[in-house]
Amino acid sequence: MVQTTRKTARAKGEHAGNGATNGATNGATNGATNGAGAGRVIPTPATPPAPLMVEPPDLSWMDKTTGWGTRALPDLVHGGGLTIDALNIGTYSKVPDHFPYRNRLPRGAYPSPIAGSIGGYYLQDKWEQWADCAGQMYEEGISRRWSTATDVPWETATGLPDDVEIALCQVATELSHQGSIETEVVCSWLQNLSPGYHEVKLFLATNVYDSARMFEGYRKRGMVNGGGMLFESPGRMNRAVMETFSGWTQTVLGLWFLRGALQLTILRYLAAYGPTEADSVLAARMIPDRMRAAAYAVDHIRQAIAARPDQRVAFAMWLTNLELAQAADAKDPVLWEALAVALGGGVKQIDAGMAIVRRLQHDWVQSYIDRARSAGLERGTDLGRPYQAMLAEGATAAT
Amino acid sequence: MATTRPTKSTAAAKPATATRKPAARKAAPAATRGAKKLVFPSVEWFAGLAALAKADEAYRKFGRLNATVVFVAGASAIEVTFDVLDIHSIRKVNENHMRDADFVVELAPELWTAMLDDIKKHGHATQEWTLNTLDLRLDEPIHANLLDDGFKADMFFRYNPSLQRFFDNAAQLDFTVKVAATA
């Protein structure tokens, strides 16, 4: 059977080379055949090919398994299906604290002695990336996918005064920009994370889509009425997040604590006060995307601190650095004024809008504090003064 | 003039917003048509809502969720388990059980009434009566994890479109509201 198949392939000129078994004659034939263009004469071997020597098949690979017979079962009771977490049974349930292979070895596969290291994947410890909820967040990300193209009633985004439209375009520019930054940051870290913790990589793959959706969704909002992309933010926080070289965990703190809390709060206010149904729906649909990232972030920091309590102080200090970068951006009035005009109903109502913005700032800082506390990082007196001021001023502002 | 936020016991002031069209909806399942009038809050009311949600393509399109939620209205606390796309184990619970919930949603009786009236009138909650808006604009959030687990409390946001659709389907139920004041 093997011999027949190989002869057939050779006759058709489809076989690129059969290796040692076929010998020099076959190699010459294949080379000529593969290199021949249309209309060229294919040389005939001087001597007929020797019969192929068929060696007994080497099936030794068939016992290279760490968990034969480990059968994953779907949830048929509530329709959960076969989830990525349901695969973690038997020997496959062991998620090691350190994954020693700096190649693409799938967790639970039998390592090859010749695979070696291909570089990258230098974050090999579980505490540097793991979150128990990562598999669930992946499944939710896949299941709860949506499209800004068709799930937002864009036809309702009309009839706004120019000042409100301009303000919304400015907010859209900021959110779109942040989405773009997040996509690039997460992509740049993926190759550094060990494939031994595939649930994390899978979740982050969905996060790349989620952040891309924020980029394109708010770019569409800017463009839908001709306003377009407006003024770029100062970008101190963007740089802080993009230039975090100290670790993935620190990057998580940058992406999804202070900044993530700001995104959530802006989206909640746009959902509640958005002047058109399109603005409200677009924001409301974005919120679960942002919250999956928040869930991963909180769970990851919690588990990192549990595994490495000595890192808690370093994480808290990193949050202080991030607060400084974000505070520098927050001094710029553009985003706040744009939100005030958009949420207040126009430039003439900017005072009322600013009262809403002060509530928004309060809710942002409170959300950040709560998120940090959930992860095991009390801000308390470490919280920067600008944020303490936002808490105080926002507590008495009108809604 | 700076003021504090309205409390759970007073309705939030309504901002001027665009009027939204009711979403197209399927006819109510046979189980809910011509049946005895339901009363909110009750296990039967939430079971009726669960039946509608499970058959609702729009609800299912929002995707999987996993949360045990207790809805508190006056003296009544009803637990609902959202399990992927199934909704089950709907039952009355006491305060001790409420601590085991991922999160609790609590509104004053008059706010439940107003929210459900708005849903009945428009076919869905209008902007000022969504769960998100109420949570944002009242003096205290309407959701909480009673053991202060922020990770679990945040499920309120992570699953918000599903929960909103769940309640919006109340427009298809024939029911009255009778909320007993807190004991």
mmCIF file of all heavy atoms in Angstrom, chain A residues 78 80 137 140 143-144 151 268-269 271-274 277 285 288 295 302 359 363 374 396-397, chain B residues 2-3 5 20 61-64 83 86 88 127 132 135-137 149-151 157-159 162:
data_model
loop_
_atom_site.group_PDB
_atom_site.id
_atom_site.type_symbol
_atom_site.label_atom_id
_atom_site.label_comp_id
_atom_site.label_asym_id
_atom_site.label_seq_id
_atom_site.Cartn_x
_atom_site.Cartn_y
_atom_site.Cartn_z
ATOM 1 N N HIS A 78 -26.976 21.898 31.537
ATOM 2 C CA HIS A 78 -27.364 23.300 31.381
ATOM 3 C C HIS A 78 -26.886 23.894 30.061
ATOM 4 O O HIS A 78 -26.930 25.115 29.884
ATOM 5 C CB HIS A 78 -26.828 24.120 32.560
ATOM 6 C CG HIS A 78 -27.353 23.665 33.883
ATOM 7 N ND1 HIS A 78 -28.688 23.716 34.196
ATOM 8 C CD2 HIS A 78 -26.740 23.110 34.957
ATOM 9 C CE1 HIS A 78 -28.871 23.226 35.406
ATOM 10 N NE2 HIS A 78 -27.699 22.852 35.887
ATOM 11 N N GLY A 80 -23.840 23.986 28.827
ATOM 12 C CA GLY A 80 -22.545 24.660 28.882
ATOM 13 C C GLY A 80 -21.571 24.188 27.826
ATOM 14 O O GLY A 80 -20.610 24.868 27.501
ATOM 15 N N MET A 137 -13.334 33.323 31.200
ATOM 16 C CA MET A 137 -13.404 34.600 30.473
ATOM 17 C C MET A 137 -13.246 34.363 28.968
ATOM 18 O O MET A 137 -13.841 35.067 28.151
ATOM 19 C CB MET A 137 -12.329 35.566 30.970
ATOM 20 C CG MET A 137 -12.523 36.068 32.378
ATOM 21 S SD MET A 137 -14.157 36.784 32.683
ATOM 22 C CE MET A 137 -14.902 35.470 33.624
ATOM 23 N N GLU A 140 -16.606 33.077 27.805
ATOM 24 C CA GLU A 140 -17.571 34.193 27.765
ATOM 25 C C GLU A 140 -17.265 35.124 26.594
ATOM 26 O O GLU A 140 -18.170 35.604 25.905
ATOM 27 C CB GLU A 140 -17.550 34.976 29.085
ATOM 28 C CG GLU A 140 -18.237 34.241 30.219
ATOM 29 C CD GLU A 140 -18.359 35.093 31.481
ATOM 30 O OE1 GLU A 140 -18.163 36.317 31.411
ATOM 31 O OE2 GLU A 140 -18.645 34.512 32.542
ATOM 32 N N SER A 143 -18.525 33.450 23.503
ATOM 33 C CA SER A 143 -19.987 33.335 23.479
ATOM 34 C C SER A 143 -20.666 34.694 23.362
ATOM 35 O O SER A 143 -21.717 34.821 22.730
ATOM 36 C CB SER A 143 -20.458 32.625 24.757
ATOM 37 O OG SER A 143 -21.848 32.610 24.852
ATOM 38 N N ARG A 144 -20.079 35.717 23.978
ATOM 39 C CA ARG A 144 -20.732 37.028 24.042
ATOM 40 C C ARG A 144 -20.209 37.983 22.978
ATOM 41 O O ARG A 144 -20.318 39.194 23.110
ATOM 42 C CB ARG A 144 -20.549 37.625 25.451
ATOM 43 C CG ARG A 144 -21.114 36.747 26.551
ATOM 44 C CD ARG A 144 -20.918 37.341 27.935
ATOM 45 N NE ARG A 144 -21.847 38.419 28.196
ATOM 46 C CZ ARG A 144 -23.077 38.276 28.658
ATOM 47 N NH1 ARG A 144 -23.540 37.075 28.930
ATOM 48 N NH2 ARG A 144 -23.854 39.307 28.845
ATOM 49 N N ASP A 151 -24.984 45.497 15.483
ATOM 50 C CA ASP A 151 -25.689 45.461 16.775
ATOM 51 C C ASP A 151 -25.919 46.842 17.376
ATOM 52 O O ASP A 151 -26.440 46.949 18.490
ATOM 53 C CB ASP A 151 -24.914 44.585 17.772
ATOM 54 C CG ASP A 151 -24.971 43.107 17.396
ATOM 55 O OD1 ASP A 151 -25.989 42.697 16.805
ATOM 56 O OD2 ASP A 151 -24.009 42.378 17.669
ATOM 57 N N ARG A 268 -20.318 53.640 31.296
ATOM 58 C CA ARG A 268 -21.562 53.608 32.075
ATOM 59 C C ARG A 268 -22.310 54.930 31.946
ATOM 60 O O ARG A 268 -23.538 54.951 31.845
ATOM 61 C CB ARG A 268 -21.266 53.311 33.546
ATOM 62 C CG ARG A 268 -20.770 51.889 33.795
ATOM 63 C CD ARG A 268 -20.798 51.575 35.268
ATOM 64 N NE ARG A 268 -22.171 51.559 35.745
ATOM 65 C CZ ARG A 268 -22.542 51.768 36.996
ATOM 66 N NH1 ARG A 268 -21.628 52.013 37.902
ATOM 67 N NH2 ARG A 268 -23.809 51.737 37.345
ATOM 68 N N TYR A 269 -21.577 56.029 31.984
ATOM 69 C CA TYR A 269 -22.232 57.338 31.869
ATOM 70 C C TYR A 269 -22.772 57.552 30.457
ATOM 71 O O TYR A 269 -23.854 58.132 30.286
ATOM 72 C CB TYR A 269 -21.268 58.460 32.289
ATOM 73 C CG TYR A 269 -21.312 58.725 33.775
ATOM 74 C CD1 TYR A 269 -20.714 57.840 34.674
ATOM 75 C CD2 TYR A 269 -21.976 59.827 34.298
ATOM 76 C CE1 TYR A 269 -20.777 58.054 36.040
ATOM 77 C CE2 TYR A 269 -22.044 60.052 35.666
ATOM 78 C CZ TYR A 269 -21.437 59.168 36.536
ATOM 79 O OH TYR A 269 -21.513 59.378 37.892
ATOM 80 N N ALA A 271 -23.817 55.196 28.563
ATOM 81 C CA ALA A 271 -25.007 54.340 28.474
ATOM 82 C C ALA A 271 -26.200 55.010 29.158
ATOM 83 O O ALA A 271 -27.331 54.933 28.685
ATOM 84 C CB ALA A 271 -24.717 52.978 29.102
ATOM 85 N N ALA A 272 -25.929 55.693 30.267
ATOM 86 C CA ALA A 272 -27.023 56.300 31.043
ATOM 87 C C ALA A 272 -27.438 57.669 30.508
ATOM 88 O O ALA A 272 -28.593 58.062 30.647
ATOM 89 C CB ALA A 272 -26.607 56.425 32.506
ATOM 90 N N TYR A 273 -26.490 58.416 29.949
ATOM 91 C CA TYR A 273 -26.776 59.796 29.518
ATOM 92 C C TYR A 273 -26.587 59.995 28.018
ATOM 93 O O TYR A 273 -26.768 61.114 27.535
ATOM 94 C CB TYR A 273 -25.843 60.781 30.229
ATOM 95 C CG TYR A 273 -26.044 60.935 31.707
ATOM 96 C CD1 TYR A 273 -25.366 60.128 32.619
ATOM 97 C CD2 TYR A 273 -26.900 61.921 32.214
ATOM 98 C CE1 TYR A 273 -25.528 60.291 33.979
ATOM 99 C CE2 TYR A 273 -27.061 62.084 33.583
ATOM 100 C CZ TYR A 273 -26.379 61.264 34.460
ATOM 101 O OH TYR A 273 -26.544 61.419 35.813
ATOM 102 N N GLY A 274 -26.160 58.975 27.323
ATOM 103 C CA GLY A 274 -25.887 59.132 25.893
ATOM 104 C C GLY A 274 -27.060 59.788 25.190
ATOM 105 O O GLY A 274 -28.212 59.384 25.398
ATOM 106 N N GLU A 277 -29.845 56.822 21.018
ATOM 107 C CA GLU A 277 -29.899 55.395 21.339
ATOM 108 C C GLU A 277 -28.611 54.712 20.906
ATOM 109 O O GLU A 277 -28.100 53.822 21.606
ATOM 110 C CB GLU A 277 -31.105 54.754 20.642
ATOM 111 C CG GLU A 277 -31.272 53.295 21.048
ATOM 112 C CD GLU A 277 -32.413 52.594 20.320
ATOM 113 O OE1 GLU A 277 -33.113 53.253 19.538
ATOM 114 O OE2 GLU A 277 -32.574 51.383 20.519
ATOM 115 N N ARG A 285 -23.015 47.976 25.343
ATOM 116 C CA ARG A 285 -22.501 46.694 24.838
ATOM 117 C C ARG A 285 -21.006 46.535 25.091
ATOM 118 O O ARG A 285 -20.487 45.418 25.126
ATOM 119 C CB ARG A 285 -22.804 46.548 23.341
ATOM 120 C CG ARG A 285 -24.275 46.408 22.970
ATOM 121 C CD ARG A 285 -24.934 45.184 23.608
ATOM 122 N NE ARG A 285 -24.305 43.922 23.279
ATOM 123 C CZ ARG A 285 -24.666 43.139 22.264
ATOM 124 N NH1 ARG A 285 -25.665 43.497 21.490
ATOM 125 N NH2 ARG A 285 -24.059 41.990 22.039
ATOM 126 N N PRO A 288 -19.506 44.777 29.106
ATOM 127 C CA PRO A 288 -19.073 43.413 29.431
ATOM 128 C C PRO A 288 -17.682 43.085 28.878
ATOM 129 O O PRO A 288 -16.917 42.355 29.525
ATOM 130 C CB PRO A 288 -20.145 42.538 28.761
ATOM 131 C CG PRO A 288 -21.357 43.413 28.725
ATOM 132 C CD PRO A 288 -20.832 44.782 28.447
ATOM 133 N N ALA A 295 -12.062 41.319 35.242
ATOM 134 C CA ALA A 295 -12.136 40.074 36.018
ATOM 135 C C ALA A 295 -10.804 39.332 35.954
ATOM 136 O O ALA A 295 -10.284 38.866 36.980
ATOM 137 C CB ALA A 295 -13.265 39.197 35.487
ATOM 138 N N ARG A 302 -4.703 39.031 42.429
ATOM 139 C CA ARG A 302 -4.990 38.274 43.649
ATOM 140 C C ARG A 302 -4.081 37.049 43.762
ATOM 141 O O ARG A 302 -3.469 36.795 44.792
ATOM 142 C CB ARG A 302 -6.424 37.734 43.543
ATOM 143 C CG ARG A 302 -7.430 38.299 44.465
ATOM 144 C CD ARG A 302 -8.719 37.538 44.242
ATOM 145 N NE ARG A 302 -9.875 38.349 44.514
ATOM 146 C CZ ARG A 302 -11.113 37.937 44.398
ATOM 147 N NH1 ARG A 302 -11.368 36.703 43.989
ATOM 148 N NH2 ARG A 302 -12.115 38.720 44.679
ATOM 149 N N ARG A 359 -19.199 63.842 39.144
ATOM 150 C CA ARG A 359 -19.703 62.544 39.643
ATOM 151 C C ARG A 359 -18.981 61.400 38.950
ATOM 152 O O ARG A 359 -18.635 60.402 39.569
ATOM 153 C CB ARG A 359 -21.206 62.394 39.365
ATOM 154 C CG ARG A 359 -22.121 63.279 40.158
ATOM 155 C CD ARG A 359 -22.080 63.064 41.636
ATOM 156 N NE ARG A 359 -22.032 61.681 42.099
ATOM 157 C CZ ARG A 359 -22.074 61.350 43.379
ATOM 158 N NH1 ARG A 359 -22.175 62.282 44.297
ATOM 159 N NH2 ARG A 359 -22.007 60.099 43.758
ATOM 160 N N ASP A 363 -16.885 58.464 40.654
ATOM 161 C CA ASP A 363 -17.200 57.046 40.445
ATOM 162 C C ASP A 363 -16.004 56.293 39.855
ATOM 163 O O ASP A 363 -15.787 55.113 40.147
ATOM 164 C CB ASP A 363 -18.421 56.910 39.532
ATOM 165 C CG ASP A 363 -19.696 57.373 40.224
ATOM 166 O OD1 ASP A 363 -19.667 57.619 41.451
ATOM 167 O OD2 ASP A 363 -20.731 57.500 39.538
ATOM 168 N N SER A 374 -10.258 44.614 45.719
ATOM 169 C CA SER A 374 -10.634 43.241 45.367
ATOM 170 C C SER A 374 -9.412 42.399 45.040
ATOM 171 O O SER A 374 -9.399 41.194 45.271
ATOM 172 C CB SER A 374 -11.558 43.231 44.138
ATOM 173 O OG SER A 374 -12.780 43.826 44.448
ATOM 174 N N THR A 396 -20.337 65.446 46.292
ATOM 175 C CA THR A 396 -21.429 66.395 46.492
ATOM 176 C C THR A 396 -21.963 66.958 45.180
ATOM 177 O O THR A 396 -22.832 67.833 45.188
ATOM 178 C CB THR A 396 -20.966 67.576 47.358
ATOM 179 O OG1 THR A 396 -19.802 68.147 46.767
ATOM 180 C CG2 THR A 396 -20.648 67.116 48.772
ATOM 181 N N ALA A 397 -21.433 66.496 44.055
ATOM 182 C CA ALA A 397 -21.876 67.045 42.773
ATOM 183 C C ALA A 397 -23.254 66.519 42.401
ATOM 184 O O ALA A 397 -23.659 65.441 42.802
ATOM 185 C CB ALA A 397 -20.878 66.691 41.685
ATOM 186 N N ALA B 2 -25.384 72.228 43.704
ATOM 187 C CA ALA B 2 -24.908 70.882 44.006
ATOM 188 C C ALA B 2 -25.871 70.186 44.951
ATOM 189 O O ALA B 2 -26.278 70.750 45.966
ATOM 190 C CB ALA B 2 -23.522 70.961 44.620
ATOM 191 N N THR B 3 -26.250 69.007 44.607
ATOM 192 C CA THR B 3 -27.129 68.217 45.476
ATOM 193 C C THR B 3 -26.579 66.817 45.579
ATOM 194 O O THR B 3 -25.748 66.411 44.789
ATOM 195 C CB THR B 3 -28.546 68.118 44.884
ATOM 196 O OG1 THR B 3 -28.441 67.508 43.604
ATOM 197 C CG2 THR B 3 -29.206 69.465 44.773
ATOM 198 N N ARG B 5 -27.117 62.666 45.430
ATOM 199 C CA ARG B 5 -27.901 61.821 44.532
ATOM 200 C C ARG B 5 -29.223 61.434 45.178
ATOM 201 O O ARG B 5 -29.321 61.361 46.391
ATOM 202 C CB ARG B 5 -27.123 60.545 44.226
ATOM 203 C CG ARG B 5 -25.863 60.794 43.488
ATOM 204 C CD ARG B 5 -25.211 59.469 43.176
ATOM 205 N NE ARG B 5 -23.876 59.717 42.672
ATOM 206 C CZ ARG B 5 -23.180 58.857 41.971
ATOM 207 N NH1 ARG B 5 -23.687 57.674 41.674
ATOM 208 N NH2 ARG B 5 -21.988 59.134 41.546
ATOM 209 N N ARG B 20 -36.992 55.892 22.529
ATOM 210 C CA ARG B 20 -36.560 54.680 21.843
ATOM 211 C C ARG B 20 -37.755 53.858 21.399
ATOM 212 O O ARG B 20 -38.747 53.759 22.108
ATOM 213 C CB ARG B 20 -35.673 53.846 22.757
ATOM 214 C CG ARG B 20 -34.337 54.502 22.966
ATOM 215 C CD ARG B 20 -33.364 53.512 23.461
ATOM 216 N NE ARG B 20 -33.420 53.414 24.902
ATOM 217 C CZ ARG B 20 -32.634 52.591 25.586
ATOM 218 N NH1 ARG B 20 -31.785 51.825 24.962
ATOM 219 N NH2 ARG B 20 -32.723 52.535 26.875
ATOM 220 N N LYS B 61 -28.539 35.505 22.448
ATOM 221 C CA LYS B 61 -27.461 36.100 21.654
ATOM 222 C C LYS B 61 -26.474 36.881 22.532
ATOM 223 O O LYS B 61 -25.312 37.045 22.159
ATOM 224 C CB LYS B 61 -28.054 37.010 20.576
ATOM 225 C CG LYS B 61 -27.057 37.478 19.530
ATOM 226 C CD LYS B 61 -27.764 38.192 18.390
ATOM 227 C CE LYS B 61 -26.763 38.608 17.300
ATOM 228 N NZ LYS B 61 -25.893 39.705 17.743
ATOM 229 N N PHE B 62 -26.934 37.332 23.698
ATOM 230 C CA PHE B 62 -25.997 38.024 24.589
ATOM 231 C C PHE B 62 -24.958 37.077 25.180
ATOM 232 O O PHE B 62 -23.980 37.521 25.761
ATOM 233 C CB PHE B 62 -26.751 38.746 25.715
ATOM 234 C CG PHE B 62 -27.437 39.998 25.265
ATOM 235 C CD1 PHE B 62 -28.781 40.194 25.494
ATOM 236 C CD2 PHE B 62 -26.732 40.991 24.599
ATOM 237 C CE1 PHE B 62 -29.419 41.352 25.078
ATOM 238 C CE2 PHE B 62 -27.355 42.158 24.184
ATOM 239 C CZ PHE B 62 -28.700 42.334 24.410
ATOM 240 N N GLY B 63 -25.206 35.776 25.060
ATOM 241 C CA GLY B 63 -24.170 34.816 25.415
ATOM 242 C C GLY B 63 -24.259 34.273 26.826
ATOM 243 O O GLY B 63 -25.122 34.639 27.619
ATOM 244 N N ARG B 64 -23.308 33.413 27.124
ATOM 245 C CA ARG B 64 -23.338 32.640 28.361
ATOM 246 C C ARG B 64 -23.058 33.518 29.578
ATOM 247 O O ARG B 64 -22.326 34.505 29.501
ATOM 248 C CB ARG B 64 -22.356 31.481 28.290
ATOM 249 C CG ARG B 64 -20.907 31.899 28.146
ATOM 250 C CD ARG B 64 -20.029 30.709 27.797
ATOM 251 N NE ARG B 64 -20.149 29.645 28.772
ATOM 252 C CZ ARG B 64 -20.119 28.341 28.459
ATOM 253 N NH1 ARG B 64 -19.980 27.960 27.198
ATOM 254 N NH2 ARG B 64 -20.214 27.419 29.375
ATOM 255 N N ASP B 83 -27.389 29.931 34.607
ATOM 256 C CA ASP B 83 -26.393 28.880 34.408
ATOM 257 C C ASP B 83 -26.203 28.684 32.905
ATOM 258 O O ASP B 83 -26.995 28.003 32.259
ATOM 259 C CB ASP B 83 -26.902 27.601 35.081
ATOM 260 C CG ASP B 83 -25.799 26.616 35.361
ATOM 261 O OD1 ASP B 83 -24.723 26.750 34.753
ATOM 262 O OD2 ASP B 83 -26.014 25.716 36.190
ATOM 263 N N ASP B 86 -29.234 28.516 30.685
ATOM 264 C CA ASP B 86 -30.343 27.981 31.459
ATOM 265 C C ASP B 86 -30.590 28.911 32.656
ATOM 266 O O ASP B 86 -29.692 29.637 33.084
ATOM 267 C CB ASP B 86 -29.970 26.573 31.957
ATOM 268 C CG ASP B 86 -31.169 25.799 32.467
ATOM 269 O OD1 ASP B 86 -32.305 26.307 32.321
ATOM 270 O OD2 ASP B 86 -30.976 24.699 33.018
ATOM 271 N N HIS B 88 -32.476 28.538 36.435
ATOM 272 C CA HIS B 88 -33.147 27.516 37.244
ATOM 273 C C HIS B 88 -32.996 27.823 38.730
ATOM 274 O O HIS B 88 -32.422 28.858 39.099
ATOM 275 C CB HIS B 88 -32.582 26.127 36.917
ATOM 276 C CG HIS B 88 -31.107 25.999 37.147
ATOM 277 N ND1 HIS B 88 -30.565 25.707 38.368
ATOM 278 C CD2 HIS B 88 -30.049 26.154 36.302
ATOM 279 C CE1 HIS B 88 -29.253 25.651 38.274
ATOM 280 N NE2 HIS B 88 -28.901 25.932 37.025
ATOM 281 N N GLN B 127 -34.064 54.659 28.847
ATOM 282 C CA GLN B 127 -32.710 54.939 29.326
ATOM 283 C C GLN B 127 -32.636 55.233 30.823
ATOM 284 O O GLN B 127 -31.726 54.779 31.504
ATOM 285 C CB GLN B 127 -32.139 56.117 28.529
ATOM 286 C CG GLN B 127 -30.655 56.343 28.747
ATOM 287 C CD GLN B 127 -30.139 57.470 27.872
ATOM 288 O OE1 GLN B 127 -30.837 58.435 27.608
ATOM 289 N NE2 GLN B 127 -28.898 57.345 27.418
ATOM 290 N N ASN B 132 -28.446 49.731 34.722
ATOM 291 C CA ASN B 132 -27.217 50.527 34.780
ATOM 292 C C ASN B 132 -27.496 51.942 35.267
ATOM 293 O O ASN B 132 -26.793 52.461 36.134
ATOM 294 C CB ASN B 132 -26.553 50.573 33.399
ATOM 295 C CG ASN B 132 -25.374 51.536 33.359
ATOM 296 O OD1 ASN B 132 -24.398 51.353 34.086
ATOM 297 N ND2 ASN B 132 -25.468 52.568 32.528
ATOM 298 N N ASP B 135 -28.410 52.015 38.936
ATOM 299 C CA ASP B 135 -27.228 51.739 39.746
ATOM 300 C C ASP B 135 -26.307 52.954 39.819
ATOM 301 O O ASP B 135 -25.677 53.218 40.840
ATOM 302 C CB ASP B 135 -26.469 50.549 39.147
ATOM 303 C CG ASP B 135 -25.361 50.050 40.047
ATOM 304 O OD1 ASP B 135 -25.680 49.383 41.044
ATOM 305 O OD2 ASP B 135 -24.185 50.327 39.751
ATOM 306 N N LEU B 136 -26.272 53.703 38.724
ATOM 307 C CA LEU B 136 -25.381 54.861 38.620
ATOM 308 C C LEU B 136 -25.942 56.072 39.341
ATOM 309 O O LEU B 136 -25.202 56.852 39.947
ATOM 310 C CB LEU B 136 -25.189 55.184 37.138
ATOM 311 C CG LEU B 136 -24.072 56.118 36.733
ATOM 312 C CD1 LEU B 136 -22.727 55.452 36.937
ATOM 313 C CD2 LEU B 136 -24.231 56.498 35.261
ATOM 314 N N ARG B 137 -27.243 56.262 39.281
ATOM 315 C CA ARG B 137 -27.806 57.546 39.675
ATOM 316 C C ARG B 137 -28.386 57.584 41.080
ATOM 317 O O ARG B 137 -28.667 58.664 41.590
ATOM 318 C CB ARG B 137 -28.858 57.973 38.661
ATOM 319 C CG ARG B 137 -28.258 58.115 37.257
ATOM 320 C CD ARG B 137 -29.225 58.691 36.297
ATOM 321 N NE ARG B 137 -29.527 60.063 36.624
ATOM 322 C CZ ARG B 137 -30.533 60.749 36.113
ATOM 323 N NH1 ARG B 137 -31.346 60.167 35.244
ATOM 324 N NH2 ARG B 137 -30.739 61.994 36.443
ATOM 325 N N ASP B 149 -17.212 41.036 48.167
ATOM 326 C CA ASP B 149 -16.337 40.450 47.143
ATOM 327 C C ASP B 149 -16.570 41.230 45.846
ATOM 328 O O ASP B 149 -17.567 41.023 45.150
ATOM 329 C CB ASP B 149 -16.669 38.959 46.966
ATOM 330 C CG ASP B 149 -15.709 38.273 45.990
ATOM 331 O OD1 ASP B 149 -15.190 38.955 45.079
ATOM 332 O OD2 ASP B 149 -15.489 37.060 46.139
ATOM 333 N N GLY B 150 -15.642 42.113 45.543
ATOM 334 C CA GLY B 150 -15.804 42.963 44.368
ATOM 335 C C GLY B 150 -15.790 42.189 43.065
ATOM 336 O O GLY B 150 -16.449 42.569 42.095
ATOM 337 N N PHE B 151 -15.023 41.105 43.034
ATOM 338 C CA PHE B 151 -14.975 40.284 41.828
ATOM 339 C C PHE B 151 -16.367 39.766 41.482
ATOM 340 O O PHE B 151 -16.801 39.814 40.327
ATOM 341 C CB PHE B 151 -14.009 39.111 42.045
ATOM 342 C CG PHE B 151 -13.843 38.213 40.859
ATOM 343 C CD1 PHE B 151 -12.883 38.486 39.897
ATOM 344 C CD2 PHE B 151 -14.645 37.095 40.691
ATOM 345 C CE1 PHE B 151 -12.728 37.663 38.796
ATOM 346 C CE2 PHE B 151 -14.499 36.264 39.596
ATOM 347 C CZ PHE B 151 -13.539 36.548 38.643
ATOM 348 N N PHE B 157 -22.048 44.104 36.095
ATOM 349 C CA PHE B 157 -21.682 44.824 34.876
ATOM 350 C C PHE B 157 -21.361 43.858 33.734
ATOM 351 O O PHE B 157 -21.698 44.107 32.588
ATOM 352 C CB PHE B 157 -20.459 45.716 35.132
ATOM 353 C CG PHE B 157 -20.665 46.737 36.209
ATOM 354 C CD1 PHE B 157 -19.851 46.778 37.322
ATOM 355 C CD2 PHE B 157 -21.694 47.666 36.114
ATOM 356 C CE1 PHE B 157 -20.041 47.716 38.325
ATOM 357 C CE2 PHE B 157 -21.893 48.616 37.103
ATOM 358 C CZ PHE B 157 -21.064 48.631 38.209
ATOM 359 N N ARG B 158 -20.679 42.762 34.093
ATOM 360 C CA ARG B 158 -20.237 41.825 33.042
ATOM 361 C C ARG B 158 -21.429 41.200 32.326
ATOM 362 O O ARG B 158 -21.358 40.876 31.155
ATOM 363 C CB ARG B 158 -19.364 40.755 33.695
ATOM 364 C CG ARG B 158 -18.361 40.155 32.748
ATOM 365 C CD ARG B 158 -17.280 39.417 33.512
ATOM 366 N NE ARG B 158 -17.625 38.057 33.774
ATOM 367 C CZ ARG B 158 -17.348 37.399 34.904
ATOM 368 N NH1 ARG B 158 -16.751 38.014 35.884
ATOM 369 N NH2 ARG B 158 -17.686 36.143 35.049
ATOM 370 N N TYR B 159 -22.511 41.017 33.061
ATOM 371 C CA TYR B 159 -23.687 40.362 32.478
ATOM 372 C C TYR B 159 -24.840 41.337 32.266
ATOM 373 O O TYR B 159 -25.981 40.913 32.058
ATOM 374 C CB TYR B 159 -24.149 39.224 33.399
ATOM 375 C CG TYR B 159 -23.111 38.149 33.628
ATOM 376 C CD1 TYR B 159 -22.943 37.575 34.882
ATOM 377 C CD2 TYR B 159 -22.298 37.689 32.589
ATOM 378 C CE1 TYR B 159 -22.003 36.577 35.101
ATOM 379 C CE2 TYR B 159 -21.349 36.699 32.805
ATOM 380 C CZ TYR B 159 -21.214 36.145 34.060
ATOM 381 O OH TYR B 159 -20.287 35.160 34.269
ATOM 382 N N SER B 162 -27.517 40.976 29.468
ATOM 383 C CA SER B 162 -28.373 39.799 29.658
ATOM 384 C C SER B 162 -29.432 40.071 30.722
ATOM 385 O O SER B 162 -30.617 39.744 30.542
ATOM 386 C CB SER B 162 -27.538 38.589 30.087
ATOM 387 O OG SER B 162 -26.531 38.317 29.149
#
